[in-house]
Amino acid sequence: MNQQLLDPVRITVVQNSPDVTLDAFAVRLGPDVRLVRPFDGDALPAATDLGDGFVVLGGQMSAYADDVAPWLPALRDLLAAAVFSDVPTLGICLGAQLLAVAGGGKVQVAAPPGREAGLTRVFWKAGAEGDPVLGPIARAAAGTGKRARSFTVSMHADAIIDLPEGASWLGMSDMYPYQAFRHGSALGVQFHPEATLATIRGWADQHDDVDTTNILADAAPFEGEVLETGRLLAESFLAVVHDDVARRGVRA
């Protein structure tokens, strides 16, 4: 491996809820992660202090719940600034919804057809294979000889209904169309590539509209594929961050 890829990179991660953590990504993103927990009083960094990469995790609130999470307006602005500055960025679930809204898209709260929970088949659109982060996942899915799809897990009731102008639509599921999109330097994914089945169990237990036993039974046979999707996405995102540092020739 290129020595540049062995050097640590500085990634800022915003955690929006106590129970929506880095999970499996805590190891996969490497040791030099700055975790910002605004629900616990941490201040969001300035746009010029994001480091080499930026990740926004999910959360229990909606993308518009500024009264519940008063840091959300600043976080939306920070996502817009990251895209403007070409900082490699990953938005997960709520993070993807905030990314969409920050770019002028829209999210529907409590969207029909209801909560998407547990095992999710993401079907990749043509542009996904060329995406710097999703490419390895989409190409692996295409190599199975089936319709290009990957297994992951979800837990959301709100949904993106309009993408930012100029964004590339990259993935869909049976329930919701906008499972993955690229907006400049940022990738948004509605699913949870960082989540393990143990985490999904904890989230499912919080919702009356989810049968925890059933969703775990459906997901268990595909646990290996779910973890592999997460691993590939994390490694690809890190590679993009490393490549960006090398291209810039300086540290952020």
Side-chain angles (χ1 to χ4, degrees):
M1 181 179 291
N2 188 298
Q3 180 61 43
Q4 177 67 36
L5 294 181
L6 298 177
D7 294 334
V9 289
R10 295 179 298 233
I11 296 176
T12 296
V13 177
V14 174
Q15 180 182 341
N16 288 293
S17 290
D19 60 335
V20 187
T21 69
L22 273 170
D23 206 354
F25 275 19
V27 172
R28 290 171 178 154
L29 291 184
D32 201 5
V33 166
R34 173 176 57 172
L35 185 62
V36 179
R37 294 157 54 99
F39 63 87
D40 206 24
D42 293 349
L44 293 175
T48 54
D49 191 30
L50 288 175
D52 304 313
F54 186 33
V55 177
V56 179
L57 299 175
Q60 298 296 345
M61 66 290 292
S62 85
Y64 301 113
D66 300 354
D67 55 336
V68 175
W71 63 88
L72 290 185
L75 182 53
R76 292 192 295 268
D77 289 345
L78 194 55
L79 281 162
V83 172
F84 181 79
S85 301
D86 289 329
V87 176
T89 298
L90 174 63
I92 296 174
C93 198
L94 172 65
Q97 295 170 6
L98 291 166
L99 174 65
V101 173
K106 295 180 182 178
V107 169
Q108 184 172 10
V109 178
R115 185 176 301 279
E116 186 170 44
L119 186 70
T120 302
R121 293 167 177 82
V122 176
F123 300 96
W124 302 113
K125 295 178 69 67
E129 290 192 26
D131 186 79
V133 177
L134 292 179
I137 302 171
R139 290 191 293 272
T144 64
K146 305 173 184 177
R147 183 182 174 192
R149 61 98 183 100
S150 299
F151 286 106
T152 184
V153 287
S154 298
M155 187 64 67
H156 69 103
D158 301 347
I160 299 163
I161 56 173
D162 284 314
L163 294 179
E165 183 176 357
S168 299
W169 178 22
L170 300 174
M172 68 187 81
S173 72
D174 291 322
M175 285 188 71
Y176 287 107
Y178 298 121
Q179 286 288 335
F181 69 95
R182 176 160 293 282
H183 182 43
S185 62
L187 175 70
V189 294
Q190 182 62 75
F191 55 90
H192 279 280
E194 86 290 3
T196 63
L197 294 194
T199 299
I200 287 293
R201 176 193 292 274
W203 292 341
D205 285 343
Q206 299 177 39
H207 299 291
D208 294 337
D209 57 350
V210 177
D211 187 319
T212 302
T213 301
N214 283 346
I215 69 164
L216 290 175
D218 288 343
F222 303 97
E223 183 174 15
E225 292 185 59
V226 168
L227 294 175
E228 179 67 2
T229 298
R231 181 188 69 80
L232 284 173
L233 193 147
E235 290 182 356
S236 296
F237 178 69
L238 267 180
V240 167
V241 174
H242 281 291
D243 288 347
D244 187 66
V245 169
R247 179 181 62 81
R248 292 173 186 262
V250 295
R251 303 311 298 257

